[in-house]
Amino acid sequence: MGDYTSPDNVKANLDQKERTLRRLTASRTVKKAETIRAYRMVPRELFLPNHLVRDAYIDTPLPIGEGQTISAIHMCLIYLELLDLKEGLKVLEIGGGSGYHAALVAEVVSPTEHPPSGHVFTVERKPSLVEFAKENLEKAGYSDRVTVIEADGTLGLPSEAPFDRIMVAAAAPHIPQPLIDQLKPGGKLLIPVGKQQFWQELTLVSKTEKEKIKTRREMSVAFVPLIGKEGW
Ligand code: SAH
């Protein structure tokens, strides 16, 4: 009990991990080989408080402290698919939380077997979660490909801009202009937008090569609020 390294618990978790994956591929929620590979590679159990480790592969959001949650597995994987990630891309995440979602993205843009190519910068405003994410990423072997920064992510990360992809893991009242400005031509931004607290529209923003902005509503979602200068 509680020791996720015991053989029984490791096996139970891995069985559950594959069951969750089968359900997500059977429903066509997850289609891409890179997404499946990243999900298999990244140990979600290393991104949770100890008492939740045995629920690591239940497809639900789980509390990570500070009133925040690690997103459900399907939501993380939907982000990976919609963002059209490729090896070598430079990605910005707003709302690092546990670091799990950033590790999944890192596994696609800079796969473990190859020399580091792409990179993920993740911005988190709560100092205790910055520390939590850093520790988790270190344990899981992603600290070379993911940089965690404490800041108000509604302003983006000007020192590292521009980015090929930006993903926002908290819900905004509107699309923050700094994020649009920090997107490369040909880049994509994925963000939950909505005035209501527990309902938003997951919105995909694309910047064309000629810097025209296109937005598309993908699906209804429920995220914790994005707090900050360009947020709530
Ligand atoms: N992606 C995370 C879960 C995100 S939960 C994971 O994989 O675990 C949303 C996170 O956004 C919370 O940790 C919250 O503190 C953070 N957040 C909210 N507003 C923010 C802001 N303006 N800048 C940076 N982080 C913010």
Side-chain angles (χ1 to χ4, degrees):
M1 287 281 285
D3 173 14
Y4 61 81
T5 57
S6 84
D8 282 355
N9 286 346
V10 168
K11 182 170 184 322
N13 261 350
L14 288 180
D15 289 349
Q16 178 69 44
K17 186 169 185 171
E18 286 302 309
R19 274 199 301 279
T20 294
L21 179 62
R22 275 201 298 279
R23 195 174 50 72
L24 293 175
T25 51
S27 61
R28 310 281 295 149
T29 307
V30 172
K31 303 185 197 82
K32 295 185 182 176
E34 302 82 31
T35 312
I36 294 170
R37 203 192 132 273
Y39 170 68
R40 285 198 166 124
M41 288 291 290
V42 181
R44 194 175 188 241
E45 59 274 30
L46 296 186
F47 293 85
L48 289 168
N50 274 336
H51 69 287
L52 294 174
V53 161
R54 63 188 155 153
D55 292 334
Y57 295 102
I58 297 178
D59 187 9
T60 184
L62 291 167
I64 52 172
E66 302 276 3
Q68 308 301 319
T69 52
I70 184 173
S71 301
I73 293 167
H74 70 273
M75 192 49 64
C76 292
L77 301 186
I78 285 172
Y79 265 62
L80 264 60
E81 303 249 315
L82 289 175
L83 278 168
D84 191 22
L85 296 174
K86 295 178 187 62
E87 205 173 325
L89 296 187
K90 184 175 170 187
V91 182
L92 173 66
E93 179 188 34
I94 310 302
S98 67
Y100 176 64
H101 207 170
L104 284 173
V105 171
E107 193 52 60
V108 180
V109 301
S110 187
T112 299
E113 309 77 63
H114 303 180
S117 50
H119 199 87
V120 182
F121 296 87
T122 183
V123 178
E124 169 57 52
R125 63 184 280 273
K126 298 263 187 191
S128 65
L129 291 175
V130 169
E131 285 316 305
F132 186 55
K134 280 186 182 167
E135 280 166 26
N136 299 339
L137 288 159
E138 178 73 41
K139 269 188 292 183
Y142 288 92
S143 45
D144 57 338
R145 290 161 280 166
V146 182
T147 308
V148 188
I149 296 123
E150 184 186 329
D152 173 5
T154 65
L155 303 175
L157 186 59
S159 58
E160 297 291 344
F163 300 95
D164 296 295
R165 301 288 186 268
I166 301 178
M167 64 174 190
V168 183
H174 61 265
I175 303 169
Q177 188 62 39
L179 300 186
I180 296 177
D181 295 343
Q182 290 173 32
L183 209 51
K184 283 186 197 173
K188 291 183 202 296
L189 155 69
L190 193 57
I191 177 166
V193 185
K195 298 272 178 222
Q196 267 168 296
Q197 215 185 339
F198 296 108
W199 176 73
Q200 306 96 29
E201 279 175 331
L202 187 59
T203 307
L204 184 66
V205 180
S206 308
K207 189 183 264 188
T208 67
E209 293 299 338
K210 292 186 171 161
E211 308 219 11
K212 214 174 141 229
I213 304 300
K214 295 183 177 166
T215 63
R216 196 170 76 194
R217 289 193 293 264
E218 295 290 346
M219 61 194 287
S220 294
V221 291
F223 275 81
V224 296
L226 182 73
I227 312 284
K229 193 149 187 278
E230 294 283 332
W232 289 105

